Amino acid sequence: MFDVCHLGAVRSPSVLPGMVRRGRGLVVQVASAAALRAFPGIAAYGAAKHALLGWSAAAALELRGTGAAVASIRPYDGEGAMLERAAEGMARDLAIPVDEARRRFAARNPGGALVRPEAVGEVALALFDQARLDPDAASGRVVVLDGGPPRPPDPKIDRTAPVLP
């Protein structure tokens, strides 16, 4: 889990030296809300995502003033194959319909809905636009997608362990 979810993502920005030489560029780490808060049953995944958030923050500081930047997007539970597998597992374990399991995952998100994959792309494009205008303002940005509007992390929301209804 650590090799894929942390080291794989950290090794991928081998483009950073070229960005620094050119004086521009942005690496956007798309990780997970598991980097911000603990979720039961995914301790190894959460630890890898916490490490990735730490790496992104340190890299952003180290790159200040170079024109290169690192930002991250932290989506909560979102639409897609991973959520479908989790919903099917929950439905089986709790003897509930899969639609009810999906609803429970959506309700666990602070924004009350599943994150749309398109929302991740929209935020990434906005970060690239910002980095083009002001790399230091984009660097170190963490954008949370929780089923509501994009927002910065909020310790009152993002640091508390969720409870499935």
Side-chain angles (χ1 to χ4, degrees):
M1 189 63 63
F2 200 79
D3 281 349
V4 172
C5 292
H6 173 67
L7 295 177
V10 169
R11 288 181 187 124
S12 65
S14 58
V15 297
L16 283 173
M19 289 180 178
V20 170
R21 276 193 304 278
R22 286 187 300 281
R24 70 180 196 283
L26 174 68
V27 171
V28 176
Q29 296 284 2
V30 180
S32 167
L36 303 170
R37 73 193 281 181
F39 291 88
I42 58 168
Y45 177 82
K49 296 304 183 177
H50 273 77
L52 183 56
L53 181 60
W55 179 88
S56 295
L61 291 171
E62 292 172 13
L63 291 168
R64 284 236 178 251
T66 68
V70 175
S72 57
I73 302 171
R74 304 300 168 171
Y76 275 78
D77 290 324
E79 298 170 357
M82 190 171 165
L83 186 276
E84 287 305 308
R85 284 190 303 277
E88 288 167 6
M90 178 191 285
R92 190 175 45 256
D93 293 347
L94 300 178
I96 60 175
V98 174
D99 285 344
E100 172 61 14
R102 277 190 214 99
R103 188 200 65 71
R104 289 183 185 199
F105 276 108
R108 176 171 81 172
N109 283 356
L114 294 174
V115 175
R116 296 176 306 104
E118 299 84 5
V120 177
E122 291 162 4
V123 168
L125 288 173
L127 287 168
F128 281 106
D129 282 345
Q130 183 182 28
R132 196 180 67 231
L133 298 173
D134 186 353
D136 285 342
S139 202
R141 290 270 319 269
V142 177
V143 180
V144 175
L145 295 173
D146 66 4
R151 62 177 175 79
D154 180 341
K156 290 184 225 143
I157 297 170
D158 299 314
R159 296 280 183 198
T160 340
V163 177
L164 287 173

